[in-house]
């Protein structure tokens, strides 16, 4: 059974949950609910584990995938632990730069980067731009030429391997928006064009095969295919490939029954496959890099909601109790979008009451506004109780919306008993400020 709670989660003597030494009741009273709590020590230790695992296998870099969740504080925590940051938009780039992360520790992604994003990244000196289309090769080359510099680039590949939790498909069709297809020849053509452009420096290849992956098969299959491609590039005398970025996608436990891979196992498996394949083909082993997002921040985050209503509804199998909380699909769209599963507990007290079957739902005007489709909570649950949903550090606040004009929740870092605001709660005034008619 996996632990789904942040490393510092404990129950106080009176049964209330505390994270990073902060009682969730105090945090809720101070910062309001819904509230995201982020265990800083947990994030730092995960970042460190990735850096150490990467160093152990001789990998060159680990970039934290900012899309999972980004603020200046989080950028600083992971950067202080030795990670670079992968940004996928001008907004993410701006936050990382404002946090003081130097361009040399950043990598820029995106399948449709704007000229402004490319130019801003270049003037910040980003270490790598991952190019994703023929148009973009020209745009990046032109921008670099105008700026009088040589921009190091990676080429994003589509290799026909797609992996998600518990399964991977090695014959996945390539009908998707990212990357250059290896099998169609587009990837080789992209590299041929890049090496002819004096304002670009070809540094290597990039592949990201999916997200929330639990086994090494997909990564290994991807690595084998890519090394085969590297061999072809050498045979065809196109270019040598010094670097290989294998993207992110490392899964985490949302439920105690989830069994994610340890990063050291994953890194050593993949590094071994790459070096064996390279040895077999007498190729120099490229420097590996990884881009974990979810695995760094996901398990370190918890959402605290306040229960508003408790409504028993008759269903075929008996009764299901709908527990409405003060957020919902605006702070966690993953259940509605991906049918994601979460673990929930009563956080403000303990209870010895019998468990009841519940569905935790939000406050939005939509019946699909479900946070947790099926869970068990104590049958003495009442309005005012606090619930904690585990493993919400990744892709919840970062994918939050203002649906129904709900302000986005605050994110508060907790460590050593001290809470610190990472992102303040939005206010209705913040939203009204966008509306000229409301001024
Ligand atoms: N690198 C690239 C190029 C990516 O596209 C992604 C995620 C990552 C790294 C980080 O992947 P991670 O380690 O976090 O799995 N919204 C979805 C996940 C989308 C991931 C998109 N790309 C979710 O909530 O599950």
């Amino acid at each position: 059974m996996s632990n789904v709670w942040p490393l510092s989660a404990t129950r106080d003597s009176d049964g209330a949950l505390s994270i990073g030494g902060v009682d969730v009741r105090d945090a809720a009273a101070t910062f309001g609910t819904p509230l995201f709590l982020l265990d800083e020590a947990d994030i730092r230790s995960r970042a460190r584990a990735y850096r150490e695992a990467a160093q152990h296998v001789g990998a060159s870099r680990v970039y934290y995938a900012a899309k999972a969740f980004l603020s200046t504080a989080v950028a600083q925590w992971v950067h202080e632990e030795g990670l670079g940051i992968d940004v996928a938009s001008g907004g993410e780039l701006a936050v990382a730069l404002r946090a003081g992360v130097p361009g040399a520790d950043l990598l820029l992604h995106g399948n449709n980067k704007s000229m402004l994003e490319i130019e801003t990244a270049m003037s910040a000196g980003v270490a790598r731009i991952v190019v994703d289309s023929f148009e973009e090769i020209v745009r990046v080359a032109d921008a670099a030429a105008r700026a009088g510099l040589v921009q190091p680039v990676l080429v994003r590949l589509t290799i026909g391997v797609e992996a998600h939790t518990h399964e991977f498909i090695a014959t996945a069709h390539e009908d998707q928006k990212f990357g250059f297809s290896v099998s169609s020849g587009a990837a080789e053509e992209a590299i041929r064009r890049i090496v002819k452009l004096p304002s670009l420096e070809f540094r290597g290849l990039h592949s990201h095969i999916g997200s929330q992956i639990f086994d090494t098969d997909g990564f290994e299959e991807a690595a084998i295919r890519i090394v085969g491609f590297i061999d072809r590039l050498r045979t065809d005398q196109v270019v040598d490939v010094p670097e290989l970025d294998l993207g992110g996608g490392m899964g985490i436990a949302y439920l105690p029954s989830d069994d994610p891979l340890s990063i050291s196992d994953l890194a050593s498996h993949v590094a071994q496959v790459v070096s064996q394949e390279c040895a077999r083909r007498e190729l120099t082993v490229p420097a590996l890099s990884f881009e974990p997002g979810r695995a760094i921040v996901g398990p370190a985050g918890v959402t605290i909601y306040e229960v508003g209503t408790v409504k028993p509804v008759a269903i075929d199998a008996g009764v299901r109790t709908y527990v409405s909380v003060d957020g919902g699909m605006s702070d966690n769209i993953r259940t509605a979008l991906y049918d994601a599963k979460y673990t929930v507990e009563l956080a403000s007290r303990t209870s010895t009451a019998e468990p009841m079957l519940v569905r935790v739902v939000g406050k939005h005007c939509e019946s699909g506004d479900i946070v947790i489709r099926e869970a068990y909570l104590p049958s003495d649950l009442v309005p005012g109780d606090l619930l904690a949903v585990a493993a919400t550090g990744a892709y919840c606040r970062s994918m939050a919306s203002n649906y129904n004009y709900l302000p986005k929740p605050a994110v508060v870092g907790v460590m050593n008993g001290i809470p610190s605001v990472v992102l303040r709660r939005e206010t209705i005034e913040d939203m009204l400020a966008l509306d000229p008619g409301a001024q």
Side-chain angles (χ1 to χ4, degrees), residues 50 63-69 86 88 107 109-110 130 156 164 178 206-213 219 245-252 254 290-297 332-335 337-338 340 342 394-396 398-399:
Y50 266 83
Y63 293 96
Y64 166 62
K67 55 187 77 74
F69 175 72
D86 131 19
L107 168 149
H109 268 298
V130 183
R156 180 148 178 180
H164 299 285
F178 290 111
H206 180 282
S207 149
H208 173 79
I209 55 170
S211 209
Q212 184 59 1
I213 301 168
F219 286 106
D245 183 330
L246 288 168
M250 301 76 179
I252 64 165
Y254 286 99
F290 296 96
E291 296 168 348
R294 187 192 319 263
I296 305 288
V297 290
N332 188 347
I333 191 64
R334 298 193 66 259
T335 305
L337 203 53
Y338 314 117
Y342 284 94
Y395 302 114
C396 286
S398 64
M399 295 173 77

Side-chain angles (χ1 to χ4, degrees), residues 19-20 26 40 72 93 108 121 127 152 174 178 193 216 228 262 267 288 315 333 366 369-370 372 379 383 388 434:
I19 314 268
D26 297 338
E40 177 180 339
T72 55
L93 174 64
L108 179 67
E174 300 191 351
F178 290 111
R193 291 191 197 178
T216 55
S262 84
L288 292 181
I315 56 169
I333 191 64
E366 185 159 332
D369 172 27
I370 296 169
I372 301 175
S379 50
L434 299 174

